[in-house]
Amino acid sequence: MDYIQPYLDYFTANPEWALVIIFLISLGEALLIIGLFVPSTAVLVGAGVLVGTGHLGFWPVIIATAVGCIVGDQISYWAGRLFGERLKTMWPLSLYPQLVAKGEDFVRVHGGKSIAIGRFVPGVKSVVPGIVGMFGMNQLFFIFVNVTSGIFWSFAHVVPGVLIGQGLAFAGELSGRLLVVLLVLLVVLALAGFIIRLAAAGVSPFLNHLLARVSAWARARRGRSWQRFARAVSPDNPRSVMIVLFAAIIFTGIIAFANLAIRAASQNAVSNIDVSVATLMRESRNAPGDELMTVITMMGDTVVMTALALTILGWLVWHKAYRAAWAAGFAILAAKLFELAMKLGLQRARPTELSYSGASIFSFPSGHATMAAVIFGILAVLVSHSMGRWGRAVVYALCAILVVAIAYSRLYLGAHWLSDVLAGLTFGVVMMAAFGVAIEAIPPRRIKPLGLFAAALVVFLAAGALHVATGFTRASEMYAVPQPQILVPVAQWVEKDWQKLPARRIDMAGRPGETFIAQFAGNLDLLATQLEAGGWTPTPVWTWRESLPYLNPNAALPDLAPRPALHEGLKAKLTLTRSAPGDGPGREVIRIYKTGLAAAEGTVYKPIYLVSLTREVMNNGFNLYAIPSQRPASDADIADLRGELARAQGLSVLSQHDRAGMVQDLITAIP
């Protein structure tokens, strides 16, 4: 947040610059051909996110978005009216004859409705306004449809971002660093989707143009082989573009993977960027984020990927697409065997020791990234084979988002270095492209691709949910951040080492929170029993399920779990609540955090804990959710708790210290 907050503060203080950017993006998205290369959806949804988090106003963003897209379409319309049919021969439309022809067919089929419908159809939306102008549509009619559809389009793009922003604001209320983790993940996913969209929108037309020139050059040469080559690469051959694209992916992917493998095999196996990214991920770790990323990484575990692969193979066999089934099975098996062989050959250590066995104890390449890329890639190839360019782009983007999310979780959890994940993704994409060449050369028939896609996703989600439900606890323990304990003699802790521990809770942004009012070493269950006798109620360890009541803005405070305040990224080991004494508002909350120190006496040692006390009251954010708002405990509340601890049977107050005005008690359990 230290890096992101200044930008948010700047846009909050100078919203006019944010509105100018939103206007220009919305304008560029509506201009002829240029709109193909403008990441309008990501930017406008991002603007909605800033609205949802309270950094921008809703109506100014809507107005800037609507005016931009309306003006952009109007400019494109005037270009069509001014140049007429000549517009198709002018740059840049001359590079996209197939897109222009598709836009003309779209306008002929839908007539005046094409202006409104076309805004939501990838590809044609960048040419429809110019084409209707070229066809001579009435100016007043165009203005009416342009304005009304532009307003609707603006709401459709900004409102989802507002809802996402509300979710991020909700996450930010719980943990500042969790907000950063989610923002990074959203940016990575949006970037992956945009690259796929850009490839479908921009690379294919250029490739068509290049293939046309290569085909013409080959036809001008003598010889039957040249003529066959010319027909194979001609844009008129519906499979030529995908075959060439897949071949290019295989060529560049092999080079990239070889480069990563050579670097991994060298003496400098772990590069500076590997270490830097691993450090960044480690410093971003937090308890809610760990739970989310553990679920995502479990969705890429072998048992889930195997279920998905068997579903794809079974579907192909059921529909008698035996060649496609053999090709898919070979690609998946070859990828798995190659991954295991590379791990055994290089034996690269993981960033963090995990309880894997066999070849899986090694790191290069990432098995999760490899198999996710191969299996989801094969699914994308099969499902999108008979689709148009934009349908294919949507399928590939959806599959890519799932693959990238799994790959990102491996980095976050410290299971792999960055180069491991990149190598896995690269090799997986190479195998996917090789399968794609085989499918384009000998396409399967009657496999009902949409049914395959639905069945595969249902099995993926069902297998993943079952795997998470049965193995989440074990996985959480395996991926947990290591917490080594330093043993110190009890006398040394009492005399000086207590000062090495934080005086205040450190939140996820690194900022100090409430004061720790006590330290104690001993049995946590014993302390809980003593406090329960005094009217305190223990609450379960916070999980995402505990946050569901927060979504009810009318919830009462007793119905809500205490907010998950984290200390140095870790949850409290014990949380207890009690109604505020007297007529005071809200409730008191005790949180007890485990430290990295343990008090040793002979061969017996006991962990040292930090105790905090806060007060919570209701906070209804935007009337959409209710999260307890945290306040510092009063001096009277702290004094009362100290008295309870001092009177508790089996506990002894050893001493009191004054450090920077913050009183701390050292408490130890009597054996």
Side-chain angles (χ1 to χ4, degrees):
M1 288 303 295
D2 292 338
Y3 297 100
I4 297 175
Q5 195 63 46
Y7 296 99
L8 298 179
D9 294 340
Y10 180 81
F11 282 129
T12 302
N14 304 277
E16 62 276 4
W17 286 111
L19 297 178
V20 168
I21 294 174
I22 293 168
F23 170 80
L24 292 176
I25 290 293
S26 184
L27 172 71
E29 195 273 346
L31 293 177
L32 282 171
I33 301 301
I34 295 174
L36 292 174
F37 306 98
V38 176
S40 57
T41 300
V43 173
L44 296 179
V45 172
V49 169
L50 294 181
V51 173
T53 55
H55 293 89
L56 290 176
F58 177 75
W59 288 111
V61 169
I62 287 289
I63 292 173
T65 303
V67 171
C69 71
I70 291 170
V71 171
D73 273 6
Q74 187 64 58
I75 293 174
S76 298
Y77 169 83
W78 282 336
R81 288 294 296 266
L82 177 63
F83 296 105
E85 290 290 329
R86 287 184 299 155
L87 187 65
K88 294 190 290 185
T89 63
M90 300 172 64
W91 185 90
L93 264 69
S94 60
L95 299 176
Y96 299 84
Q98 293 181 337
L99 180 59
V100 173
K102 185 177 180 180
E104 290 179 330
D105 293 340
F106 186 84
V107 172
R108 291 190 184 98
V109 171
H110 297 286
K113 299 190 299 293
S114 62
I115 306 167
I117 300 173
R119 287 190 185 276
F120 300 91
V121 179
V124 298
K125 67 180 180 179
S126 63
V127 296
V128 163
I131 290 174
V132 298
M134 195 167 53
F135 284 179
M137 178 178 285
N138 180 271
Q139 171 72 86
L140 291 179
F141 179 79
F142 177 82
I143 290 176
F144 173 76
V145 179
N146 183 27
V147 171
T148 53
S149 64
I151 294 173
F152 181 78
W153 181 86
S154 302
F155 277 92
H157 279 72
V158 175
V159 170
V162 174
L163 298 178
I164 295 174
Q166 288 288 313
L168 292 176
F170 176 82
E173 284 284 337
L174 303 180
S175 165
R177 195 169 294 181
L178 172 61
L179 174 60
V180 175
V181 171
L182 294 179
L183 281 174
V184 172
L185 179 58
L186 286 175
V187 170
V188 171
L189 296 180
L191 182 61
F194 176 67
I195 290 174
I196 297 293
R197 173 182 178 270
L198 185 63
V203 175
S204 293
F206 278 113
L207 190 56
N208 277 329
H209 183 68
L210 176 62
L211 291 178
R213 297 186 63 176
V214 173
S215 179
W217 173 80
R219 279 197 302 270
R221 303 179 69 85
R222 295 180 180 179
R224 183 175 300 177
S225 298
W226 285 111
Q227 299 305 312
R228 289 178 179 174
F229 176 74
R231 288 192 298 270
V233 300
S234 172
D236 296 331
N237 179 0
R239 300 188 182 97
S240 62
V241 173
M242 292 306 299
I243 291 175
V244 173
L245 275 175
F246 283 139
I249 290 172
I250 293 172
F251 178 74
T252 56
I254 289 175
I255 294 176
F257 180 82
N259 180 56
L260 290 168
I262 291 172
R263 289 178 178 272
S266 67
Q267 293 182 351
N268 298 320
V270 181
S271 66
N272 289 335
I273 190 171
D274 281 332
V275 175
S276 298
V277 171
T279 302
L280 175 63
M281 293 294 106
R282 185 167 56 251
E283 292 181 351
S284 301
R285 295 287 295 266
N286 61 88
D290 287 356
E291 293 180 2
L292 175 62
M293 292 301 158
T294 300
V295 170
I296 292 176
T297 210
M298 291 181 72
M299 298 297 286
D301 282 352
T302 300
V303 61
V304 180
M305 288 293 101
T306 300
L308 178 60
L310 292 177
T311 302
I312 297 172
L313 297 177
W315 185 278
L316 294 175
V317 172
W318 183 34
H319 288 82
K320 299 181 180 180
Y322 300 119
R323 290 181 178 177
W326 276 109
F330 177 80
I332 294 171
L333 182 60
K336 187 61 179 179
L337 292 176
F338 184 80
E339 172 226 325
L340 295 176
M342 289 295 296
K343 285 183 174 179
L344 289 173
L346 296 180
Q347 298 189 2
R348 187 187 203 186
R350 294 178 181 270
T352 305
E353 290 188 12
L354 301 175
S355 58
Y356 285 118
S357 60
S360 296
I361 65 176
F362 303 117
S363 183
F364 186 95
S366 167
H368 280 67
T370 301
M371 301 314 298
V374 171
I375 297 173
F376 277 110
I378 288 174
L379 178 64
V381 169
L382 290 169
V383 172
S384 66
H385 174 72
S386 59
M387 293 182 176
R389 186 170 69 247
W390 285 104
R392 185 182 297 121
V394 170
V395 171
Y396 274 98
L398 289 175
C399 291
I401 285 173
L402 294 174
V403 173
V404 170
I406 292 172
Y408 179 80
S409 71
R410 304 304 288 170
L411 288 176
Y412 174 88
L413 295 172
H416 287 287
W417 304 103
L418 175 63
S419 56
D420 302 335
V421 171
L422 293 179
L425 291 175
T426 302
F427 183 73
V429 168
V430 167
M431 296 301 295
M432 176 272 295
F435 175 79
V437 171
I439 292 301
E440 294 296 334
I442 309 176
R445 298 179 180 179
R446 298 182 298 275
I447 65 169
K448 297 182 180 179
L450 294 181
L452 168 61
F453 197 53
L457 290 183
V458 168
V459 170
F460 172 68
L461 294 175
L466 179 62
H467 181 51
V468 170
T470 57
F472 180 78
T473 301
R474 186 188 66 81
S476 296
E477 294 173 354
M478 181 174 69
Y479 293 119
V481 179
Q483 291 182 264
Q485 282 198 320
I486 301 175
L487 301 182
V488 297
V490 172
Q492 181 178 320
W493 165 53
V494 172
E495 180 181 352
K496 60 180 180 179
D497 280 357
W498 67 270
Q499 300 179 72
K500 296 180 179 180
L501 297 174
R504 305 173 70 93
R505 182 177 66 85
I506 307 300
D507 69 13
M508 296 308 302
R511 293 184 291 263
E514 69 273 11
T515 300
F516 288 123
I517 65 170
Q519 299 179 15
F520 82 94
N523 190 305
L524 197 60
D525 293 333
L526 174 62
L527 178 61
T529 300
Q530 302 298 327
L531 292 174
E532 284 186 69
W536 293 90
T537 302
T539 64
V541 176
W542 197 92
T543 66
W544 286 105
R545 290 187 295 274
E546 307 300 324
S547 69
L548 294 179
Y550 294 167
L551 302 177
N552 178 13
N554 300 316
L557 187 60
D559 301 328
L560 303 177
R563 56 184 295 143
L566 308 178
H567 173 54
E568 297 180 338
L570 301 177
K571 297 179 186 177
K573 290 296 183 180
L574 177 64
T575 303
L576 307 100
T577 63
R578 184 174 67 181
S579 297
D583 297 328
R587 66 188 176 194
E588 295 177 300
V589 181
I590 294 175
R591 295 183 178 87
I592 301 177
Y593 301 90
K594 188 178 180 181
T595 71
L597 293 182
E601 190 166 18
T603 59
V604 178
Y605 71 92
K606 297 178 180 179
I608 297 175
Y609 297 90
L610 299 172
V611 183
S612 76
L613 178 66
T614 58
R615 180 171 291 199
E616 291 185 343
V617 296
M618 285 299 298
N619 175 29
N620 299 95
F622 302 96
N623 291 321
L624 293 175
Y625 57 84
I627 297 180
S629 179
Q630 187 168 287
R631 296 180 180 178
S634 66
D635 293 339
D637 293 338
I638 294 174
D640 289 342
L641 179 58
R642 284 201 178 99
E644 291 183 65
L645 294 173
R647 293 189 299 271
Q649 184 180 0
L651 296 178
S652 174
V653 178
L654 298 181
S655 59
Q656 292 184 344
H657 302 269
D658 190 344
R659 179 171 59 180
M662 296 173 291
V663 177
Q664 296 203 358
D665 295 339
L666 297 178
I667 304 170
T668 184
I670 297 177

